[in-house]
Amino acid sequence: MVTLLDELADRGINYDEADAPPHATEGWHQDRQTVHLGDEPPGEPLAGGLMEKAGALVNSYEFSDPRILRAAYRAPGDLLGRDMVLEGRFLVLRFLMGVRITHRHDELGEGAHGPERRIGWAYQTLLGHIEQGRLTYEVAKELETGRVEFRIIAHSRRAPIANPILHAGFRVFARRTQLRFYCNALHKLQRIVQDPPPPPQPGPDGVVHAPTGAPAGRFEAWTLRIVDAGAGAPTR
């Protein structure tokens, strides 16, 4: 995992943004899912309040369901430009995939119920990933009501996969797993923001494994790791 993480700096995005939403929509899944995290007093976010706590948990990838997806990244370091190795977990298979955070925002915008403060970031998939697309994690507060939400906004599609067995499996299981991950991530953040875990700490190699404290798994010794299942990655 660490070896792959060090290789990601030389990899580019695995799709052409001109062929992706909003420019093109055919063949793409487009998702927007939200959950109510709680409420603050109306106005800008409170220092040390709900929105700030939620933003910190999102930045460290603590919301992820480790049964489906885990992450490794180097820390300390800037959030913008961060490379991450994602480990997708399905039965005894472990898919290692690279992504890069290419956008970060802290902005005031107009929402469905008036002005809102939004903080968040987005990653894009890199060469070798089994999907193509962009995924945004965002915490938003309605300034007039104090309502705080966590939002997942994404567009994605399957990347070319040469292995016919993996290709077939991805067609059958990937979408339902993706939607289950979104649902679990929303509700996990809703739960842990009430009593946040300590900030994750990098190991001796400077790498953080998130989410914090995720167990290895009952059958980890028999798992099969698959690196660069998607097209366009360096030959290993």
Side-chain angles (χ1 to χ4, degrees), residues 3-218:
T3 300
L4 177 59
L5 181 60
D6 290 338
E7 295 176 0
L8 296 184
D10 296 325
R11 299 195 185 186
I13 307 301
N14 67 347
Y15 66 97
D16 187 342
E17 288 193 78
D19 297 328
H23 313 291
T25 58
E26 185 175 356
W28 291 87
H29 297 297
Q30 296 189 77
D31 299 299
R32 180 184 176 91
Q33 301 203 25
T34 68
V35 70
H36 179 207
L37 296 178
D39 299 276
E40 290 187 353
E44 287 285 348
L46 299 177
L50 176 65
M51 185 172 183
E52 185 176 298
K53 291 177 182 178
L57 291 168
V58 170
N59 290 351
S60 58
Y61 214 73
E62 288 293 321
F63 58 85
S64 183
D65 181 348
R67 297 169 297 179
I68 301 174
L69 200 65
R70 306 183 184 201
Y73 57 88
R74 291 203 174 276
D78 292 337
L79 182 64
L80 184 61
R82 174 192 290 171
D83 289 332
M84 297 195 296
V85 173
L86 302 183
E87 181 191 68
R89 301 165 70 89
F90 181 75
L91 299 177
V92 297
L93 301 180
R94 303 291 182 262
F95 296 93
L96 301 186
M97 308 163 288
V99 300
R100 179 172 300 131
I101 296 178
T102 55
H103 177 76
R104 184 180 187 183
H105 62 275
D106 181 347
E107 62 189 18
L108 184 64
E110 192 67 22
H113 302 98
E116 56 183 30
R117 173 64 63 182
R118 308 175 188 132
I119 58 173
W121 49 269
Y123 72 59
Q124 292 177 273
T125 51
L126 301 179
L127 291 172
H129 201 296
I130 57 177
E131 288 188 313
Q132 298 174 336
R134 171 176 166 141
L135 193 153
T136 299
Y137 296 113
E138 179 179 271
V139 181
K141 177 182 178 181
E142 296 177 359
L143 301 187
E144 294 181 356
T145 68
R147 177 185 175 92
V148 179
E149 290 186 343
F150 177 39
R151 301 168 179 170
I152 298 177
I153 306 160
H155 57 260
S156 62
R157 67 182 180 187
R158 184 178 66 254
I161 301 173
N163 184 298
I165 296 175
L166 295 180
H167 178 88
F170 193 87
R171 287 180 62 91
V172 174
F173 297 107
R175 181 59 175 164
R176 73 177 71 171
T177 302
Q178 182 183 53
L179 293 175
R180 183 161 59 95
F181 172 77
Y182 292 162
C183 180
N184 292 359
L186 291 170
H187 290 100
K188 181 179 178 182
L189 185 65
Q190 185 184 50
R191 182 179 72 255
I192 66 174
V193 75
Q194 305 304 322
D195 184 20
Q201 298 299 315
D205 55 5
V207 174
V208 168
H209 295 270
T212 301
R218 186 176 177 184

